[in-house]
């Protein structure tokens, strides 16, 4: 099985989960391929980020959405289509946890793989 982060970004955010405030979010579009099958999934994880050095991502405030699962292989064309409205899609996902991502406040450079 091969897992690739098509996009990975860390942003200032707000969310409260399990009584703990979260001040950041990790946002990923992941492609997982195995035996001629591929799955693309958006994943958002809100984490505490109590100081500028704190990037300890917790996994108790996570939401995800599979945007494609089927036969095939990694496709730049599909990936560009998934990335077209990525902030809007991720805002919908964040709202499921009553969270908000501040897109204008990246904590690190966005990485594309």
């Amino acid at each position: 099985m091969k897992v690739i982060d098509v996009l990975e970004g860390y942003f200032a955010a707000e969310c409260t989960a399990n009584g703990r405030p979260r001040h950041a979010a990790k946002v990923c579009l992941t492609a997982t391929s195995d035996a001629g099958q591929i799955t693309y999934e958006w994943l958002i994880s809100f984490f505490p980020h109590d100081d500028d050095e704190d990037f300890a991502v917790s996994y108790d405030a996570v939401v995800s959405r599979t945007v494609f699962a089927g036969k095939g292989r990694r496709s730049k064309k599909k990936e560009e289509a998934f990335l077209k409205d990525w902030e809007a899609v991720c805002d919908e996902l964040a709202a499921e946890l009553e969270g908000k991502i501040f897109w204008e406040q990246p904590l690190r450079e966005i990485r594309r793989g």
Side-chain angles (χ1 to χ4, degrees):
M1 182 179 304
K2 190 173 188 179
V3 179
I4 297 169
D5 286 334
V6 176
L7 177 139
E8 178 185 68
Y10 292 80
F11 297 89
E14 25 177 76
C15 183
T16 299
N18 296 319
R20 180 102 156 70
R22 313 304 167 103
H23 305 289
K26 177 182 176 183
V27 177
C28 290
L29 175 62
T30 303
T32 305
S33 62
D34 190 33
Q37 299 288 319
I38 188 148
T39 302
Y40 285 95
E41 178 180 37
W42 281 108
L43 178 96
I44 300 171
S45 179
F46 289 94
F47 61 99
H49 193 60
D50 292 328
D51 61 57
D52 290 342
E53 301 298 318
D54 179 15
F55 283 88
V57 177
S58 54
Y59 292 95
D60 62 342
V62 175
V63 64
S64 66
R65 177 183 297 166
T66 299
V67 291
F68 179 83
K71 286 188 168 205
R73 58 184 184 196
R74 189 169 176 205
S75 162
K76 296 288 183 186
K77 187 175 180 179
K78 281 182 189 169
E79 290 172 6
E80 289 305 317
F82 299 143
L83 293 171
K84 184 178 178 189
D85 299 319
W86 71 284
E87 289 180 8
V89 171
C90 291
D91 284 341
E92 288 176 19
L93 287 170
E96 291 180 21
L97 295 176
E98 297 179 10
K100 176 153 180 58
I101 300 169
F102 302 110
W103 301 110
E104 68 283 352
Q105 297 177 42
L107 301 174
R108 291 186 176 171
E109 281 191 42
I110 295 172
R111 294 189 320 201
R112 301 232 3 217

